Amino acid sequence: MSFSPLINELITALKCLPGVGAKSAQRMAFALLERNRDGAMTLSKVLHDAMEHVSHCEHCRTFTEARLCKICENPMRSETGQLCIVESPQDVLAVEQTSEYKGKYFVLMGHLSPIDGIGPAEIGLTELVQLLDRESIQEVILATNPTVEGEATAHYIGQICREKQIKATRIAHGVPVGGELEYIDGNTISHAFAGRRPV
Amino acid sequence: MSFSPLINELITALKCLPGVGAKSAQRMAFALLERNRDGAMTLSKVLHDAMEHVSHCEHCRTFTEARLCKICENPMRSETGQLCIVESPQDVLAVEQTSEYKGKYFVLMGHLSPIDGIGPAEIGLTELVQLLDRESIQEVILATNPTVEGEATAHYIGQICREKQIKATRIAHGVPVGGELEYIDGNTISHAFAGRRPV
Ligand SMILES: [Zn+2]
Ligand SMILES: [Zn+2]
């Protein structure tokens, strides 16, 4: 015995959400049915609209329902001649929260991962090359994650820039501000030592 | 700065799910956009259908999209003359999984909680009284949770049964099968001692 067909379907469908297993899907289904049908109806509509209309910005590849995202639309953003390469839309948000970077972005929507069949084309490097040829970029800032894949990706894009004689820089890795040395991994500490600067 | 309007709406809408905060809603939104648009479209449709069509069984009050749930529809279920009172549809599933109970159910969809304005009418006791007058019930099994509210609710329904001279029983509380005595709370152990039986 189980629940009614439609409730079973709802529980199954909720399991498409990352981190939601059978038990939480069941809890979610009943919570919505019991206490928040309006919220569920809104979620149904917004899910549909977002999946139908959200695509990629034609310039930077981030997610947006418009042809160009807010940042690419802003002509001031081209003035610095800087292009920051990140892995995800969430990374754009993280950099923007510092309010210090004023240039444009290019969002890879991933990183190189040959084992998973993710090569240069899958992370938009064809479009990136076109963009570098088309626009006058003075500096490419490689802000991919400090993981094995992120480093490999940064290295690969760095080579493209070198061929085109465009300056490429990598963001610094080191001890996070407020971090305590004793809790930082050795690899990070090595980076922090290698990147030391006179005070 | 934040994401595009539609993505922000999606993140907000996902927060209507119980246990989902800002950070997990963001993670869910991007996971669906990146990797599972079909799953999200299905979820959108099923959410809509479930909120629109799932209502309460006319006999036992559990959730179902039909007029009567599978159990109430089955005439064999009336033969035992037993009616098991539970708090939620999930409790029905829990009892059904034992495959031992063959009677019908009445689902309160909650418990008495005067502080939250939940009185007898809100948990369907008007309908329960009508059901007890209409059908030939030999035994009401009170299977509400062993919480303060669940006990108070069982006590209240027990009194209704007494007035109608219908036998009412309460499920036993004690040490769970496979439970280790040293980890069981004192209240449960008291119940287990009070309910002891000759072997
Ligand atoms: Zn853009
Ligand atoms: Zn029913």
Side-chain angles (χ1 to χ4, degrees):
Chain A
M1 130 99 209
S2 63
F3 301 109
S4 75
L6 196 45
I7 297 177
N8 286 335
E9 261 186 73
L10 177 57
I11 293 169
T12 304
L14 282 164
K15 286 194 283 186
C16 83
L17 298 169
V20 175
K23 206 69 194 174
S24 7
Q26 188 178 307
R27 198 164 47 89
M28 286 175 172
F30 284 105
L32 295 175
L33 285 167
E34 280 167 31
R35 290 186 297 274
N36 201 356
R37 295 198 180 211
D38 288 349
M41 279 298 203
T42 304
L43 175 57
S44 164
K45 191 184 172 318
V46 177
L47 265 175
H48 176 272
D49 291 353
M51 297 308 134
E52 188 147 287
H53 299 301
V54 171
S55 183
H56 297 277
C57 170
E58 285 183 14
H59 279 186
C60 75
R61 289 183 26 109
T62 198
F63 279 131
T64 177
E65 64 269 27
R67 198 175 67 83
L68 294 180
C69 74
K70 278 269 169 61
I71 294 175
C72 291
E73 227 181 35
N74 180 352
M76 309 267 285
R77 290 295 196 137
S78 301
E79 289 174 9
T80 64
Q82 289 175 314
L83 183 70
C84 177
I85 316 274
V86 292
E87 294 187 24
S88 75
Q90 295 96 309
D91 294 340
V92 173
L93 194 64
V95 176
E96 285 295 295
Q97 273 162 359
T98 69
S99 302
E100 275 168 25
Y101 178 70
K102 308 287 187 204
K104 297 181 83 173
Y105 292 90
F106 188 83
V107 186
L108 302 170
M109 304 298 296
H111 46 235
L112 289 177
S113 181
I115 263 183
D116 306 307
I118 300 175
E122 282 72 31
I123 59 169
L125 298 194
T126 318
E127 290 90 333
L128 178 62
V129 167
Q130 286 164 359
L131 187 152
L132 294 176
D133 288 341
R134 190 178 66 227
E135 301 190 15
S136 78
I137 304 293
Q138 265 87 61
E139 179 184 3
V140 167
I141 299 171
L142 300 161
T144 52
N145 290 326
T147 56
V148 174
E149 296 87 356
E151 293 294 351
T153 307
H155 183 75
Y156 191 95
I157 300 172
Q159 280 185 316
I160 294 175
C161 295
R162 200 166 308 124
E163 283 164 21
K164 298 193 176 296
Q165 296 181 305
I166 296 170
K167 175 180 169 194
T169 56
R170 180 87 174 104
I171 54 166
H173 300 141
V175 178
V177 177
E180 289 180 65
L181 219 59
E182 64 173 311
Y183 299 114
I184 309 291
D185 68 291
N187 202 359
T188 301
I189 293 182
S190 303
H191 273 290
F193 271 73
R196 70 190 183 279
R197 298 194 302 185
V199 290
Chain B
M1 130 99 211
S2 63
F3 302 108
S4 77
L6 195 46
I7 297 178
N8 286 336
E9 261 185 73
L10 177 57
I11 293 170
T12 304
L14 283 164
K15 286 194 283 186
C16 84
L17 298 169
V20 175
K23 207 69 194 173
S24 7
Q26 189 178 306
R27 198 164 46 87
M28 285 175 173
F30 285 105
L32 294 176
L33 285 167
E34 280 166 32
R35 289 186 297 275
N36 200 356
R37 293 198 183 211
D38 289 349
M41 279 299 202
T42 304
L43 176 57
S44 163
K45 190 184 172 317
V46 176
L47 265 175
H48 176 273
D49 291 352
M51 298 307 135
E52 189 147 286
H53 298 301
V54 171
S55 182
H56 297 277
C57 170
E58 285 185 12
H59 277 186
C60 75
R61 287 180 31 108
T62 197
F63 279 131
T64 177
E65 62 270 27
R67 199 176 66 84
L68 293 182
C69 73
K70 278 267 169 61
I71 294 176
C72 291
E73 230 181 32
N74 180 352
M76 309 266 285
R77 289 295 195 139
S78 301
E79 287 173 11
T80 64
Q82 289 176 313
L83 183 70
C84 176
I85 315 275
V86 293
E87 294 188 23
S88 75
Q90 294 97 308
D91 294 341
V92 172
L93 195 63
V95 176
E96 284 296 296
Q97 272 162 358
T98 69
S99 304
E100 277 170 25
Y101 178 69
K102 307 289 186 202
K104 298 182 83 174
Y105 292 90
F106 188 83
V107 185
L108 303 170
M109 303 299 295
H111 46 233
L112 289 177
S113 181
I115 264 182
D116 306 308
I118 301 175
E122 283 71 31
I123 58 169
L125 297 194
T126 319
E127 289 89 336
L128 177 62
V129 166
Q130 285 164 1
L131 188 154
L132 294 176
D133 288 341
R134 191 179 63 228
E135 301 190 15
S136 79
I137 305 293
Q138 264 86 61
E139 179 183 3
V140 168
I141 299 172
L142 300 162
T144 53
N145 290 325
T147 57
V148 174
E149 296 87 355
E151 292 294 352
T153 307
H155 183 76
Y156 191 95
I157 299 173
Q159 280 185 316
I160 294 176
C161 294
R162 200 166 310 124
E163 282 163 22
K164 297 191 176 295
Q165 296 181 303
I166 296 170
K167 177 182 169 192
T169 57
R170 181 86 174 106
I171 54 166
H173 300 141
V175 179
V177 177
E180 290 180 65
L181 219 61
E182 63 174 311
Y183 299 113
I184 309 292
D185 67 290
N187 202 359
T188 300
I189 293 183
S190 302
H191 273 289
F193 270 73
R196 71 190 183 279
R197 298 195 300 188
V199 289

